[in-house]
Amino acid sequence: MPPIQPRRTVVTSSHWGAMEVETDGTRLLSARPFSDDPAPSDIAHILPQAVHHKSRVTRPSFRRSWLEKRERQGRGDGDYVALPWDEALDITAAEIDRIRKTHGNEAIYGGSYGWASAGRFHHAQSQIHRFLNSIGGYVSSFGSYSTGCAQGIMPHVFGISFLQYTYSAQDSWETLERNTETLVMFGGINEKNSQVSMGGITEHETGSWLQRFVDKGMRCINIGPQRSDAPESCEWIPCRPGSDTALMLALAYVLEEEGRTDYDFINRFCIGFDRFRPYLIGDLDGQPKSPEWAEEICGVDAEDIRELARHMAETRTLITVAWSLQRAEFGEQPYWMSAVLAAMLGQIGLPGGGVGYGYGAIGGIGKYIDGPKGLSLPQGENPIKTFIPVARVADMLLQPGEPYDYNGTRSPYPDIRLVYWAGGNPFHHHQDLNRLHAAWQQPETVIVHEPWWTATAQRADIVFPATTPYEREDIGRSDLDEYLFHMPALVPPQGNARDDYDIFAGLAARLGAQETFTEGRSSAQWLETLYADFYSRAQQSGHSVPDLNALRAQNWVKLPTRKADAPPSFLARFRADPEKRPLATPSGRIEIFSETIDSFGYNDCPGHPVWIAPREWPGAATEDSPLHLISPQPGDKLHSQLEAALADQPGARPETVTLHPEDAASRNIKTGDLVRLWNTRGACRARARLSTDILRGVVALPTGAWFSPAETPIDMDGNPNVLTRDIGTSRLGQGSSAHSALVNIEKLDADH
Ligand SMILES: Nc1nc2c(c(=O)[nH]1)N[C@H]1C(S)=C(S)[C@@H](COP(=O)(O)OP(=O)(O)OC[C@H]3O[C@@H](n4cnc5c(=O)[nH]c(N)nc54)[C@H](O)[C@@H]3O)O[C@H]1N2
Ligand SMILES: Nc1nc2c(c(=O)[nH]1)N[C@H]1C(S)=C(S)[C@@H](COP(=O)(O)OP(=O)(O)OC[C@H]3O[C@@H](n4cnc5c(=O)[nH]c(N)nc54)[C@H](O)[C@@H]3O)O[C@H]1N2
Ligand SMILES: [Mo]
């Protein structure tokens, strides 16, 4: 019997915020948000039920037909054999060794996308990459589902990586409050999404900033399919999804037509306007991109477009663009065009003006934090240089050896024999899951580390039970947050779960890579080493942080690293002196026309921004698929995490789909009705909710339900990714096109 410990409450960090977690040393008893958080997320409350849920993976498990006959077929059939750790690690190491010796490390896919958990040392992506590097390398992935397309296009436009732009080169909330007069938000700035920030967010404040902006008289305009993407006090211009580029072009057209383009700015700081202008005014294709032209496409009144363009030209205007706009077919275009529109307004580099991305995506964006850096596990070097754009995983598995285009390169997909995943749930996050299910039958072996029996774990040959952050010691820290946390183990590992680190160390030892992977350290020793490095770097940069033992005693500390005034951004410095501080683009300027992109010869992403109608969007609706599906992030959780316990709540599953009363009426659907959504790719159930806050012709079904196909086949819990299309945004960005999908919807009888 373990000694009975007194109840205690400990603060720990998570991607959705800090939590005060009560434990008796054996079980988590309750979890509530950190009391100093002014606008806490409610995600925490379900944590104890999730951690102790019956769907935890408790033992190393092998799919029976793989274990007995090495059969690939049957992934997802649920017949598993549990084995003791030593035997499980022996079998797994032998299989990894067989694959690397027979096919080379280029046959191992370790892209392993996913958010996993906060906590710096036990970060699953760093762990798996370090392990795979230590045994000879792996095929990796580039970019993210969040911003993969933007990461392709934006460096061509501004000469800086998109992540650097969005996380560290945008104006702070304080700067916006002082300077911005008009905030034009494509896709809104949604407080729901700002609950989350990778690596942790302790004080949530996005919602309160928007309220302050409105209160001080800033004009805040939400453009998009849902009113709920911004506070009610903001204006809403309903606009069809997928059509934003046309609206931006029309705004640009008005500037040009009315002599409001800032030619001083264009001539001094940009290149290629002369190549773009003939397209804009219609000299190139006979079609002026006028407000009347855009009205047909976007459903926005032409006079409203004119009025907005004038207002933007006359006031300090910040254009913000949600990441969702580039998670769609041709997502490069609204991103590029928003930059061109901002350039024509001439306010790029002025405080509170220009263009910003993802202010509503992640709670940390808009906070300027000047804190100590570091605290991540070194991943080593990957000798294998082959990678894929992250969202092309099913294409890779289905088409080994086939060439594909990406950002000016053409390469064959590698021939993958082993898929290794830790810290992500592709059967939640990938598009067209029925297609992924078929692709998943290709590799010889699939290995997954998971705390829970997710749909991905259920499709692996080998499943290792991983601990959650509440079962191990770690440090919580994010560059976008001013807090530092000691995250102690609150309960013992559940079942026979092990830390990812210990699983990899066990495999590395059997594969002759023990020293390379562990450097002779236990996880406790790694934590000491990483923290000591962080501590001395902090000292050097003039930041005072407690040493590890002091942090352990204090549990958490708030560092004085929040600054209202960020130093001038790279764009402000460029504006001040474009000759001395040119951008890192080929021209040294903002590229309205890019010779580089033009030279790729892509008709799905030509040399300047253009409107191209997606294959699936409201304008292409048919009788069979009359409605446009958007699949936003869920408000009550992070992706598919904690789903096991959430799904147990009465009425929680299937997931709720929001639709307009007029779309519902013709189908006799009422709020609370069970419905079926379908298209040629798949079908799922959902629970209807009627709202006039969504554009007619659009339905919104959040992500996050575990893929749960029944025989019919219909996904029972409502995962939108059985409906979404698995195509790249274009040959340039090859991002996920999750938000471009047409569907049908009908009422289901209650017994379905
Ligand atoms: N249709 C549609 N699809 C989308 C999107 C969309 O907008 N529409 N958005 C996309 C975006 S932006 C993203 S980021 C993805 C998110 O997709 P994912 O990041 O894959 O989603 P998560 O549910 O966070 O998956 C993390 C998994 O890691 C597990 N885990 C947690 N901690 C640990 C740990 O310590 N060790 C191990 N081994 N596992 C752990 C969790 O149980 C969970 O199953 O979804 C994408 N999918
Ligand atoms: N609570 C919670 N917050 C999260 C997450 C979570 O899982 N849960 N995930 C986090 C992650 S990983 C990411 S990447 C970010 C993503 O952040 P975003 O990409 O901003 O999030 P989405 O929810 O996909 O989209 C936001 C809104 O964009 C609108 N939209 C969709 N298509 C279009 C379009 O074509 N045009 C216009 N104008 N609007 C459109 C939709 O109405 C949608 O509600 O969110 C993060 N925040
Ligand atoms: Mo994301």
Side-chain angles (χ1 to χ4, degrees), residues 430-434 616 629-631 657 676-686 699 701 707 714-715 718-726 737-738 740-744:
H430 192 63
Q431 286 55 70
D432 197 351
L433 289 178
N434 291 311
E616 295 191 29
L629 170 76
I630 48 177
S631 40
V657 63
R676 182 172 86 105
L677 286 93
W678 81 96
N679 59 20
T680 53
R681 293 178 287 270
C684 71
R685 302 193 317 164
V699 300
L701 176 63
F707 178 52
I714 183 168
D715 182 69
N719 184 323
N721 279 323
V722 296
L723 304 164
T724 52
R725 191 161 181 205
D726 184 14
S737 297
S740 302
L742 289 171
V743 297
N744 210 334

mmCIF file of all heavy atoms in Angstrom, residues 430-434 616 629-631 657 676-686 699 701 707 714-715 718-726 737-738 740-744:
data_model
loop_
_atom_site.group_PDB
_atom_site.id
_atom_site.type_symbol
_atom_site.label_atom_id
_atom_site.label_comp_id
_atom_site.label_asym_id
_atom_site.label_seq_id
_atom_site.Cartn_x
_atom_site.Cartn_y
_atom_site.Cartn_z
ATOM 1 N N HIS A 430 -6.417 15.066 -39.395
ATOM 2 C CA HIS A 430 -6.201 15.067 -40.837
ATOM 3 C C HIS A 430 -7.533 15.156 -41.590
ATOM 4 O O HIS A 430 -8.586 14.798 -41.064
ATOM 5 C CB HIS A 430 -5.424 13.824 -41.260
ATOM 6 C CG HIS A 430 -4.924 13.913 -42.666
ATOM 7 N ND1 HIS A 430 -4.012 14.866 -43.069
ATOM 8 C CD2 HIS A 430 -5.236 13.216 -43.786
ATOM 9 C CE1 HIS A 430 -3.782 14.730 -44.367
ATOM 10 N NE2 HIS A 430 -4.521 13.742 -44.824
ATOM 11 N N GLN A 431 -7.460 15.601 -42.847
ATOM 12 C CA GLN A 431 -8.670 15.740 -43.665
ATOM 13 C C GLN A 431 -9.007 14.401 -44.333
ATOM 14 O O GLN A 431 -8.145 13.562 -44.525
ATOM 15 C CB GLN A 431 -8.463 16.844 -44.714
ATOM 16 C CG GLN A 431 -8.498 18.241 -44.131
ATOM 17 C CD GLN A 431 -7.507 18.438 -42.990
ATOM 18 O OE1 GLN A 431 -6.306 18.456 -43.215
ATOM 19 N NE2 GLN A 431 -7.994 18.582 -41.768
ATOM 20 N N ASP A 432 -10.272 14.237 -44.659
ATOM 21 C CA ASP A 432 -10.770 13.031 -45.349
ATOM 22 C C ASP A 432 -10.275 11.756 -44.654
ATOM 23 O O ASP A 432 -9.464 11.000 -45.185
ATOM 24 C CB ASP A 432 -10.335 13.044 -46.833
ATOM 25 C CG ASP A 432 -11.151 12.062 -47.664
ATOM 26 O OD1 ASP A 432 -11.917 11.260 -47.077
ATOM 27 O OD2 ASP A 432 -11.018 12.092 -48.903
ATOM 28 N N LEU A 433 -10.801 11.528 -43.457
ATOM 29 C CA LEU A 433 -10.285 10.433 -42.618
ATOM 30 C C LEU A 433 -10.516 9.055 -43.222
ATOM 31 O O LEU A 433 -9.761 8.122 -42.942
ATOM 32 C CB LEU A 433 -10.916 10.518 -41.222
ATOM 33 C CG LEU A 433 -10.400 11.701 -40.393
ATOM 34 C CD1 LEU A 433 -11.091 11.749 -39.039
ATOM 35 C CD2 LEU A 433 -8.879 11.619 -40.211
ATOM 36 N N ASN A 434 -11.538 8.907 -44.045
ATOM 37 C CA ASN A 434 -11.716 7.594 -44.671
ATOM 38 C C ASN A 434 -10.563 7.312 -45.642
ATOM 39 O O ASN A 434 -10.110 6.180 -45.771
ATOM 40 C CB ASN A 434 -13.074 7.510 -45.382
ATOM 41 C CG ASN A 434 -14.208 7.510 -44.363
ATOM 42 O OD1 ASN A 434 -14.179 6.743 -43.393
ATOM 43 N ND2 ASN A 434 -15.186 8.393 -44.545
ATOM 44 N N GLU A 616 -14.454 23.730 -53.939
ATOM 45 C CA GLU A 616 -15.608 23.623 -53.047
ATOM 46 C C GLU A 616 -15.715 24.903 -52.221
ATOM 47 O O GLU A 616 -14.824 25.224 -51.445
ATOM 48 C CB GLU A 616 -15.490 22.390 -52.142
ATOM 49 C CG GLU A 616 -15.529 21.100 -52.958
ATOM 50 C CD GLU A 616 -15.675 19.838 -52.113
ATOM 51 O OE1 GLU A 616 -16.264 19.901 -51.023
ATOM 52 O OE2 GLU A 616 -15.200 18.786 -52.582
ATOM 53 N N LEU A 629 -19.220 23.713 -45.471
ATOM 54 C CA LEU A 629 -18.852 23.320 -44.102
ATOM 55 C C LEU A 629 -17.592 24.048 -43.666
ATOM 56 O O LEU A 629 -16.562 23.967 -44.342
ATOM 57 C CB LEU A 629 -18.580 21.810 -44.045
ATOM 58 C CG LEU A 629 -17.963 21.311 -42.724
ATOM 59 C CD1 LEU A 629 -19.009 21.245 -41.621
ATOM 60 C CD2 LEU A 629 -17.295 19.955 -42.905
ATOM 61 N N ILE A 630 -17.670 24.750 -42.533
ATOM 62 C CA ILE A 630 -16.430 25.182 -41.880
ATOM 63 C C ILE A 630 -16.289 24.353 -40.604
ATOM 64 O O ILE A 630 -17.284 23.977 -39.978
ATOM 65 C CB ILE A 630 -16.393 26.696 -41.575
ATOM 66 C CG1 ILE A 630 -17.676 27.151 -40.894
ATOM 67 C CG2 ILE A 630 -16.155 27.498 -42.838
ATOM 68 C CD1 ILE A 630 -17.663 28.605 -40.501
ATOM 69 N N SER A 631 -15.057 24.048 -40.256
ATOM 70 C CA SER A 631 -14.821 23.175 -39.095
ATOM 71 C C SER A 631 -13.835 23.868 -38.163
ATOM 72 O O SER A 631 -12.644 23.594 -38.186
ATOM 73 C CB SER A 631 -14.283 21.822 -39.553
ATOM 74 O OG SER A 631 -13.348 21.949 -40.608
ATOM 75 N N VAL A 657 -23.691 20.975 -34.570
ATOM 76 C CA VAL A 657 -23.475 21.691 -35.831
ATOM 77 C C VAL A 657 -24.382 22.922 -35.830
ATOM 78 O O VAL A 657 -25.562 22.827 -35.482
ATOM 79 C CB VAL A 657 -23.750 20.795 -37.058
ATOM 80 C CG1 VAL A 657 -25.195 20.335 -37.133
ATOM 81 C CG2 VAL A 657 -23.378 21.523 -38.363
ATOM 82 N N ARG A 676 -27.729 14.204 -39.971
ATOM 83 C CA ARG A 676 -26.637 13.527 -40.673
ATOM 84 C C ARG A 676 -26.043 14.528 -41.650
ATOM 85 O O ARG A 676 -26.778 15.177 -42.399
ATOM 86 C CB ARG A 676 -27.183 12.318 -41.435
ATOM 87 C CG ARG A 676 -26.110 11.506 -42.163
ATOM 88 C CD ARG A 676 -26.702 10.226 -42.736
ATOM 89 N NE ARG A 676 -27.274 10.450 -44.053
ATOM 90 C CZ ARG A 676 -26.716 10.071 -45.214
ATOM 91 N NH1 ARG A 676 -25.567 9.426 -45.198
ATOM 92 N NH2 ARG A 676 -27.300 10.321 -46.375
ATOM 93 N N LEU A 677 -24.726 14.650 -41.650
ATOM 94 C CA LEU A 677 -24.038 15.451 -42.669
ATOM 95 C C LEU A 677 -23.307 14.482 -43.570
ATOM 96 O O LEU A 677 -22.720 13.513 -43.071
ATOM 97 C CB LEU A 677 -23.017 16.388 -42.037
ATOM 98 C CG LEU A 677 -23.536 17.613 -41.299
ATOM 99 C CD1 LEU A 677 -23.710 17.289 -39.824
ATOM 100 C CD2 LEU A 677 -22.576 18.770 -41.434
ATOM 101 N N TRP A 678 -23.322 14.745 -44.867
ATOM 102 C CA TRP A 678 -22.605 13.822 -45.737
ATOM 103 C C TRP A 678 -22.188 14.499 -47.033
ATOM 104 O O TRP A 678 -22.721 15.541 -47.421
ATOM 105 C CB TRP A 678 -23.466 12.588 -46.020
ATOM 106 C CG TRP A 678 -24.508 12.763 -47.092
ATOM 107 C CD1 TRP A 678 -24.383 12.408 -48.411
ATOM 108 C CD2 TRP A 678 -25.819 13.322 -46.957
ATOM 109 N NE1 TRP A 678 -25.542 12.714 -49.083
ATOM 110 C CE2 TRP A 678 -26.434 13.273 -48.220
ATOM 111 C CE3 TRP A 678 -26.535 13.862 -45.879
ATOM 112 C CZ2 TRP A 678 -27.729 13.746 -48.445
ATOM 113 C CZ3 TRP A 678 -27.831 14.335 -46.103
ATOM 114 C CH2 TRP A 678 -28.404 14.275 -47.370
ATOM 115 N N ASN A 679 -21.233 13.870 -47.683
ATOM 116 C CA ASN A 679 -20.867 14.171 -49.064
ATOM 117 C C ASN A 679 -20.238 12.904 -49.633
ATOM 118 O O ASN A 679 -20.353 11.833 -48.995
ATOM 119 C CB ASN A 679 -19.954 15.415 -49.148
ATOM 120 C CG ASN A 679 -18.670 15.254 -48.357
ATOM 121 O OD1 ASN A 679 -18.249 14.137 -48.050
ATOM 122 N ND2 ASN A 679 -18.028 16.363 -48.011
ATOM 123 N N THR A 680 -19.576 13.009 -50.780
ATOM 124 C CA THR A 680 -19.064 11.770 -51.394
ATOM 125 C C THR A 680 -17.938 11.155 -50.567
ATOM 126 O O THR A 680 -17.605 9.988 -50.748
ATOM 127 C CB THR A 680 -18.514 12.047 -52.813
ATOM 128 O OG1 THR A 680 -17.572 13.119 -52.705
ATOM 129 C CG2 THR A 680 -19.630 12.429 -53.762
ATOM 130 N N ARG A 681 -17.328 11.925 -49.662
ATOM 131 C CA ARG A 681 -16.194 11.403 -48.906
ATOM 132 C C ARG A 681 -16.598 10.670 -47.631
ATOM 133 O O ARG A 681 -15.855 9.835 -47.135
ATOM 134 C CB ARG A 681 -15.235 12.548 -48.566
ATOM 135 C CG ARG A 681 -14.564 13.144 -49.772
ATOM 136 C CD ARG A 681 -13.669 14.310 -49.409
ATOM 137 N NE ARG A 681 -14.417 15.502 -49.056
ATOM 138 C CZ ARG A 681 -14.812 16.448 -49.909
ATOM 139 N NH1 ARG A 681 -14.522 16.327 -51.179
ATOM 140 N NH2 ARG A 681 -15.486 17.501 -49.505
ATOM 141 N N GLY A 682 -17.752 11.007 -47.074
ATOM 142 C CA GLY A 682 -18.119 10.369 -45.819
ATOM 143 C C GLY A 682 -19.371 10.971 -45.226
ATOM 144 O O GLY A 682 -20.038 11.823 -45.849
ATOM 145 N N ALA A 683 -19.682 10.535 -44.012
ATOM 146 C CA ALA A 683 -20.897 10.991 -43.342
ATOM 147 C C ALA A 683 -20.665 10.991 -41.847
ATOM 148 O O ALA A 683 -19.878 10.190 -41.319
ATOM 149 C CB ALA A 683 -22.061 10.061 -43.679
ATOM 150 N N CYS A 684 -21.329 11.917 -41.156
ATOM 151 C CA CYS A 684 -21.261 11.886 -39.694
ATOM 152 C C CYS A 684 -22.581 12.365 -39.105
ATOM 153 O O CYS A 684 -23.385 13.008 -39.779
ATOM 154 C CB CYS A 684 -20.098 12.736 -39.175
ATOM 155 S SG CYS A 684 -20.319 14.502 -39.359
ATOM 156 N N ARG A 685 -22.775 12.014 -37.844
ATOM 157 C CA ARG A 685 -23.931 12.515 -37.110
ATOM 158 C C ARG A 685 -23.553 13.826 -36.425
ATOM 159 O O ARG A 685 -22.378 14.101 -36.187
ATOM 160 C CB ARG A 685 -24.347 11.535 -36.019
ATOM 161 C CG ARG A 685 -24.687 10.148 -36.516
ATOM 162 C CD ARG A 685 -25.387 9.351 -35.423
ATOM 163 N NE ARG A 685 -24.772 9.506 -34.109
ATOM 164 C CZ ARG A 685 -25.363 9.179 -32.966
ATOM 165 N NH1 ARG A 685 -26.583 8.674 -32.951
ATOM 166 N NH2 ARG A 685 -24.747 9.340 -31.803
ATOM 167 N N ALA A 686 -24.539 14.625 -36.093
ATOM 168 C CA ALA A 686 -24.303 15.836 -35.305
ATOM 169 C C ALA A 686 -25.631 16.218 -34.665
ATOM 170 O O ALA A 686 -26.685 15.664 -34.994
ATOM 171 C CB ALA A 686 -23.778 16.975 -36.179
ATOM 172 N N VAL A 699 -22.530 25.848 -42.743
ATOM 173 C CA VAL A 699 -22.717 25.136 -41.481
ATOM 174 C C VAL A 699 -21.364 25.024 -40.793
ATOM 175 O O VAL A 699 -20.336 24.928 -41.463
ATOM 176 C CB VAL A 699 -23.350 23.734 -41.676
ATOM 177 C CG1 VAL A 699 -24.717 23.844 -42.339
ATOM 178 C CG2 VAL A 699 -22.441 22.805 -42.474
ATOM 179 N N LEU A 701 -19.232 22.905 -37.940
ATOM 180 C CA LEU A 701 -19.106 21.738 -37.056
ATOM 181 C C LEU A 701 -17.675 21.717 -36.524
ATOM 182 O O LEU A 701 -16.737 21.498 -37.278
ATOM 183 C CB LEU A 701 -19.400 20.451 -37.847
ATOM 184 C CG LEU A 701 -19.234 19.114 -37.101
ATOM 185 C CD1 LEU A 701 -20.223 19.010 -35.942
ATOM 186 C CD2 LEU A 701 -19.412 17.940 -38.061
ATOM 187 N N PHE A 707 -12.720 10.215 -34.096
ATOM 188 C CA PHE A 707 -13.225 9.495 -35.268
ATOM 189 C C PHE A 707 -13.827 8.174 -34.781
ATOM 190 O O PHE A 707 -13.142 7.379 -34.133
ATOM 191 C CB PHE A 707 -12.033 9.249 -36.192
ATOM 192 C CG PHE A 707 -12.302 8.479 -37.456
ATOM 193 C CD1 PHE A 707 -13.317 8.853 -38.319
ATOM 194 C CD2 PHE A 707 -11.490 7.394 -37.806
ATOM 195 C CE1 PHE A 707 -13.531 8.161 -39.508
ATOM 196 C CE2 PHE A 707 -11.692 6.696 -38.984
ATOM 197 C CZ PHE A 707 -12.716 7.076 -39.832
ATOM 198 N N ILE A 714 -20.980 5.598 -40.844
ATOM 199 C CA ILE A 714 -21.246 6.973 -40.444
ATOM 200 C C ILE A 714 -20.445 7.238 -39.181
ATOM 201 O O ILE A 714 -20.346 6.361 -38.318
ATOM 202 C CB ILE A 714 -22.760 7.202 -40.223
ATOM 203 C CG1 ILE A 714 -23.056 8.663 -39.867
ATOM 204 C CG2 ILE A 714 -23.321 6.274 -39.158
ATOM 205 C CD1 ILE A 714 -24.530 9.023 -39.922
ATOM 206 N N ASP A 715 -19.817 8.388 -39.127
ATOM 207 C CA ASP A 715 -19.050 8.720 -37.939
ATOM 208 C C ASP A 715 -20.042 9.151 -36.852
ATOM 209 O O ASP A 715 -20.772 10.122 -37.021
ATOM 210 C CB ASP A 715 -18.061 9.844 -38.257
ATOM 211 C CG ASP A 715 -17.210 10.168 -37.056
ATOM 212 O OD1 ASP A 715 -16.380 9.330 -36.687
ATOM 213 O OD2 ASP A 715 -17.403 11.245 -36.472
ATOM 214 N N GLY A 718 -19.365 12.819 -34.678
ATOM 215 C CA GLY A 718 -19.368 14.119 -35.345
ATOM 216 C C GLY A 718 -17.998 14.708 -35.573
ATOM 217 O O GLY A 718 -17.745 15.874 -35.241
ATOM 218 N N ASN A 719 -17.089 13.942 -36.142
ATOM 219 C CA ASN A 719 -15.787 14.493 -36.521
ATOM 220 C C ASN A 719 -15.890 15.042 -37.949
ATOM 221 O O ASN A 719 -16.111 14.283 -38.889
ATOM 222 C CB ASN A 719 -14.710 13.402 -36.440
ATOM 223 C CG ASN A 719 -13.331 13.945 -36.739
ATOM 224 O OD1 ASN A 719 -13.167 14.808 -37.599
ATOM 225 N ND2 ASN A 719 -12.339 13.473 -36.027
ATOM 226 N N PRO A 720 -15.729 16.362 -38.135
ATOM 227 C CA PRO A 720 -15.931 16.952 -39.461
ATOM 228 C C PRO A 720 -14.945 16.431 -40.506
ATOM 229 O O PRO A 720 -15.170 16.582 -41.706
ATOM 230 C CB PRO A 720 -15.719 18.450 -39.224
ATOM 231 C CG PRO A 720 -14.882 18.532 -37.996
ATOM 232 C CD PRO A 720 -15.284 17.358 -37.148
ATOM 233 N N ASN A 721 -13.849 15.838 -40.033
ATOM 234 C CA ASN A 721 -12.834 15.414 -41.004
ATOM 235 C C ASN A 721 -13.213 14.164 -41.789
ATOM 236 O O ASN A 721 -12.454 13.742 -42.658
ATOM 237 C CB ASN A 721 -11.471 15.275 -40.320
ATOM 238 C CG ASN A 721 -10.811 16.640 -40.192
ATOM 239 O OD1 ASN A 721 -10.938 17.474 -41.090
ATOM 240 N ND2 ASN A 721 -10.141 16.888 -39.086
ATOM 241 N N VAL A 722 -14.386 13.594 -41.553
ATOM 242 C CA VAL A 722 -14.849 12.576 -42.509
ATOM 243 C C VAL A 722 -15.417 13.268 -43.751
ATOM 244 O O VAL A 722 -15.654 12.628 -44.771
ATOM 245 C CB VAL A 722 -15.913 11.623 -41.903
ATOM 246 C CG1 VAL A 722 -15.304 10.825 -40.754
ATOM 247 C CG2 VAL A 722 -17.137 12.376 -41.438
ATOM 248 N N LEU A 723 -15.642 14.589 -43.669
ATOM 249 C CA LEU A 723 -16.273 15.330 -44.764
ATOM 250 C C LEU A 723 -15.288 16.219 -45.529
ATOM 251 O O LEU A 723 -15.536 16.588 -46.675
ATOM 252 C CB LEU A 723 -17.386 16.224 -44.201
ATOM 253 C CG LEU A 723 -18.457 15.502 -43.380
ATOM 254 C CD1 LEU A 723 -19.264 16.489 -42.558
ATOM 255 C CD2 LEU A 723 -19.372 14.687 -44.287
ATOM 256 N N THR A 724 -14.189 16.611 -44.868
ATOM 257 C CA THR A 724 -13.270 17.591 -45.459
ATOM 258 C C THR A 724 -12.447 16.952 -46.577
ATOM 259 O O THR A 724 -12.364 15.736 -46.685
ATOM 260 C CB THR A 724 -12.330 18.169 -44.391
ATOM 261 O OG1 THR A 724 -11.716 17.066 -43.712
ATOM 262 C CG2 THR A 724 -13.083 19.030 -43.406
ATOM 263 N N ARG A 725 -11.832 17.812 -47.377
ATOM 264 C CA ARG A 725 -11.124 17.337 -48.557
ATOM 265 C C ARG A 725 -9.616 17.353 -48.313
ATOM 266 O O ARG A 725 -9.071 18.335 -47.810
ATOM 267 C CB ARG A 725 -11.478 18.274 -49.716
ATOM 268 C CG ARG A 725 -11.026 17.760 -51.020
ATOM 269 C CD ARG A 725 -11.778 18.429 -52.132
ATOM 270 N NE ARG A 725 -11.316 17.868 -53.390
ATOM 271 C CZ ARG A 725 -11.374 18.499 -54.543
ATOM 272 N NH1 ARG A 725 -11.897 19.705 -54.606
ATOM 273 N NH2 ARG A 725 -10.931 17.930 -55.635
ATOM 274 N N ASP A 726 -8.966 16.280 -48.727
ATOM 275 C CA ASP A 726 -7.535 16.140 -48.460
ATOM 276 C C ASP A 726 -6.711 16.573 -49.665
ATOM 277 O O ASP A 726 -6.162 15.754 -50.388
ATOM 278 C CB ASP A 726 -7.248 14.676 -48.094
ATOM 279 C CG ASP A 726 -5.803 14.453 -47.694
ATOM 280 O OD1 ASP A 726 -5.086 15.445 -47.449
ATOM 281 O OD2 ASP A 726 -5.386 13.279 -47.631
ATOM 282 N N SER A 737 -6.411 22.022 -46.478
ATOM 283 C CA SER A 737 -7.549 22.783 -47.020
ATOM 284 C C SER A 737 -8.829 22.464 -46.254
ATOM 285 O O SER A 737 -9.914 22.373 -46.838
ATOM 286 C CB SER A 737 -7.738 22.471 -48.504
ATOM 287 O OG SER A 737 -6.615 22.875 -49.240
ATOM 288 N N ALA A 738 -8.708 22.327 -44.938
ATOM 289 C CA ALA A 738 -9.831 21.859 -44.110
ATOM 290 C C ALA A 738 -11.106 22.681 -44.289
ATOM 291 O O ALA A 738 -12.212 22.141 -44.233
ATOM 292 C CB ALA A 738 -9.415 21.871 -42.643
ATOM 293 N N SER A 740 -12.379 24.121 -46.867
ATOM 294 C CA SER A 740 -13.033 24.132 -48.185
ATOM 295 C C SER A 740 -13.777 22.821 -48.409
ATOM 296 O O SER A 740 -13.196 21.853 -48.908
ATOM 297 C CB SER A 740 -11.995 24.303 -49.303
ATOM 298 O OG SER A 740 -11.259 25.486 -49.125
ATOM 299 N N ALA A 741 -15.038 22.766 -48.030
ATOM 300 C CA ALA A 741 -15.791 21.515 -48.202
ATOM 301 C C ALA A 741 -17.273 21.813 -48.352
ATOM 302 O O ALA A 741 -17.815 22.662 -47.635
ATOM 303 C CB ALA A 741 -15.568 20.596 -46.996
ATOM 304 N N LEU A 742 -17.913 21.116 -49.281
ATOM 305 C CA LEU A 742 -19.367 21.227 -49.434
ATOM 306 C C LEU A 742 -20.021 19.958 -48.900
ATOM 307 O O LEU A 742 -19.477 18.860 -49.045
ATOM 308 C CB LEU A 742 -19.729 21.423 -50.911
ATOM 309 C CG LEU A 742 -19.354 22.785 -51.498
ATOM 310 C CD1 LEU A 742 -19.541 22.792 -53.016
ATOM 311 C CD2 LEU A 742 -20.168 23.910 -50.854
ATOM 312 N N VAL A 743 -21.177 20.130 -48.277
ATOM 313 C CA VAL A 743 -21.862 18.983 -47.661
ATOM 314 C C VAL A 743 -23.369 19.096 -47.847
ATOM 315 O O VAL A 743 -23.894 20.147 -48.239
ATOM 316 C CB VAL A 743 -21.579 18.902 -46.140
ATOM 317 C CG1 VAL A 743 -20.105 18.685 -45.849
ATOM 318 C CG2 VAL A 743 -22.091 20.157 -45.421
ATOM 319 N N ASN A 744 -24.047 18.029 -47.509
ATOM 320 C CA ASN A 744 -25.502 18.029 -47.400
ATOM 321 C C ASN A 744 -25.870 17.709 -45.955
ATOM 322 O O ASN A 744 -25.044 17.190 -45.210
ATOM 323 C CB ASN A 744 -26.100 16.986 -48.350
ATOM 324 C CG ASN A 744 -27.479 17.405 -48.815
ATOM 325 O OD1 ASN A 744 -28.183 18.150 -48.121
ATOM 326 N ND2 ASN A 744 -27.872 16.928 -49.987
#
